[in-house]
Amino acid sequence: MATTISVLSQKGGTGKTTMVRTLTDVFERLGLDILAVDADPQGNLSDYFDTEPDAQPTLAEVLTAQTRAADAIHGAVIPANLRLAEAELALAGRIGREVTLRNALRDLKREKDLILIDCPPTLGLLTVNALVASDHALLSTQSQYFSLQGVEQAMEVVDLARESLNPDLELLGVVLNIANMRTRHARQTLDSLRERFGEKVFRSVIRQSIAYAESAERAIPILDYRPDRGQDYLSLAGEILRRLGSPELLEPLDRLSVEIVPAGARA
Ligand SMILES: Nc1ncnc2c1ncn2[C@@H]1O[C@H](COP(=O)(O)OP(=O)(O)OP(=O)(O)O)[C@@H](O)[C@H]1O
Ligand SMILES: [Mg+2]
């Protein structure tokens, strides 16, 4: 039975898609059977996975009941493109519009170990569908345009999904992403996040590096492109495994880290 995690944020460009792509890679390397779901009409996650631009069917066809989710998997991802925006509109007028994705993923949830959903930068119907289909919400926030209010807004949407349709939904935690920890601003951001959200804030911070954009452009996971950078995600993955109650995977994770992160770059 898969654990399902939605990665979301209150605004665009906080590194959500990179997080879904990289965590998929890390957990696959630990031997887990992972499904990544691109729930953003921009289709960035599909690009990061190097999916053919005209791959068919996509999440749009899944949500409009034209195909089964299992038949829309390409490699490890159910891709998306602009037609997902049309599907979202079509969905809006239907009864059960918020539970469509949950129902569509039901069979795969039984088969997979982990499902990661990449949310769009808006807190609309697609994000609500993702949250209703999830056991956990993982919040990404960037220090550069940080606002506590923004993080709180995203949490309110998580609360709403829990109170209305998904009582089991839990906040897995908040990650400070794309952070330049050499700046005082980023360190202050982390302090105020911890002050406000306490233990919910992950100790691991994903540091800012141009290597992410370069690796995305080449559709190569960061662990292959720049393993020294990838260690931030290995450390985040470790915290996630602890929070999910899967400590048996921590040792394989340590081995992976020793294997791929250059000794000099290890934390
Ligand atoms: N740790 C990082 N350091 C520097 N750049 C990063 C980092 N992570 C991601 N990026 C880059 O920042 C940009 C936005 O990242 P990404 O697409 O993952 O964000 P997003 O939150 O999914 O955006 P959107 O809200 O548009 O879906 C991309 O160019 C990506 O390569
Ligand atoms: Mg994205």
Side-chain angles (χ1 to χ4, degrees):
M1 191 76 169
T3 299
T4 306
I5 303 173
S6 277
V7 176
L8 76 157
S9 62
Q10 74 285 5
K11 51 181 283 307
T14 64
K16 296 179 289 297
T17 303
T18 305
M19 181 169 291
V20 170
R21 175 66 188 100
T22 310
L23 289 176
T24 302
D25 184 38
V26 173
F27 291 128
E28 269 180 343
R29 287 172 195 247
L30 297 183
L32 297 184
D33 186 3
I34 317 277
L35 172 68
V37 178
D38 191 349
D40 181 356
Q42 296 181 98
N44 296 143
L45 184 70
S46 312
D47 293 340
Y48 289 8
F49 274 98
D50 217 8
T51 314
E52 290 294 324
D54 51 3
Q56 274 289 338
T58 66
L59 189 64
E61 287 70 44
V62 174
L63 292 180
T64 49
Q66 295 171 64
T67 187
R68 290 177 343 131
D71 297 328
I73 303 176
H74 306 259
V77 68
I78 296 184
N81 56 33
L82 271 180
R83 279 200 317 279
L84 182 58
E86 288 169 35
E88 184 184 20
L89 281 177
L91 211 60
R94 296 217 186 118
I95 293 175
R97 57 182 175 257
E98 294 96 349
V99 297
T100 310
L101 183 61
R102 173 162 74 190
N103 291 340
L105 293 178
R106 185 161 289 144
D107 289 346
L108 287 173
K109 200 169 164 65
R110 255 179 245 124
E111 280 169 35
K112 299 281 172 184
D113 298 317
L114 187 64
I115 301 176
L116 294 172
I117 306 177
D118 183 29
C119 292
T122 49
L123 298 173
L125 186 54
L126 287 168
T127 298
V128 171
N129 261 274
L131 289 172
V132 171
S134 294
D135 307 293
H136 297 275
L138 178 55
L139 258 161
S140 171
T141 187
Q142 192 188 351
S143 59
Q144 203 177 351
Y145 309 104
F146 173 76
S147 84
L148 272 179
Q149 204 189 358
V151 178
E152 274 161 3
Q153 275 166 8
M155 284 187 178
E156 275 167 30
V157 175
V158 174
D159 289 342
L160 265 174
R162 183 189 309 112
E163 284 157 20
S164 55
L165 291 153
N166 188 5
D168 298 332
L169 181 66
E170 281 175 38
L171 178 68
L172 189 57
V174 183
V175 187
L176 183 61
N177 206 339
I178 320 187
N180 180 352
M181 296 312 282
R182 286 188 296 268
T183 65
R184 187 156 31 133
H185 175 65
R187 294 193 300 271
Q188 281 171 346
T189 302
L190 191 57
D191 287 344
S192 47
L193 271 177
R194 286 186 174 143
E195 224 167 82
R196 177 70 185 80
F197 304 113
E199 290 299 298
K200 281 294 173 192
V201 182
F202 284 95
R203 266 195 294 272
S204 314
V205 168
I206 308 300
R207 287 169 293 176
Q208 181 179 48
S209 162
I210 187 69
Y212 287 96
E214 293 168 354
S215 77
E217 203 171 309
R218 293 167 176 78
I220 302 171
I222 195 78
L223 289 187
D224 287 321
Y225 185 70
R226 278 284 300 275
D228 56 326
R229 283 297 167 189
Q231 74 166 319
D232 290 350
Y233 272 105
L234 292 171
S235 129
L236 176 64
E239 280 191 81
I240 290 175
L241 289 173
R242 277 191 209 98
R243 291 186 188 196
L244 291 178
S246 305
E248 71 283 0
L249 288 168
L250 290 173
E251 206 193 306
L253 183 67
D254 277 346
R255 279 201 299 269
L256 177 66
S257 177
V258 169
E259 200 180 294
I260 63 174
V261 180
R266 241 170 262 150

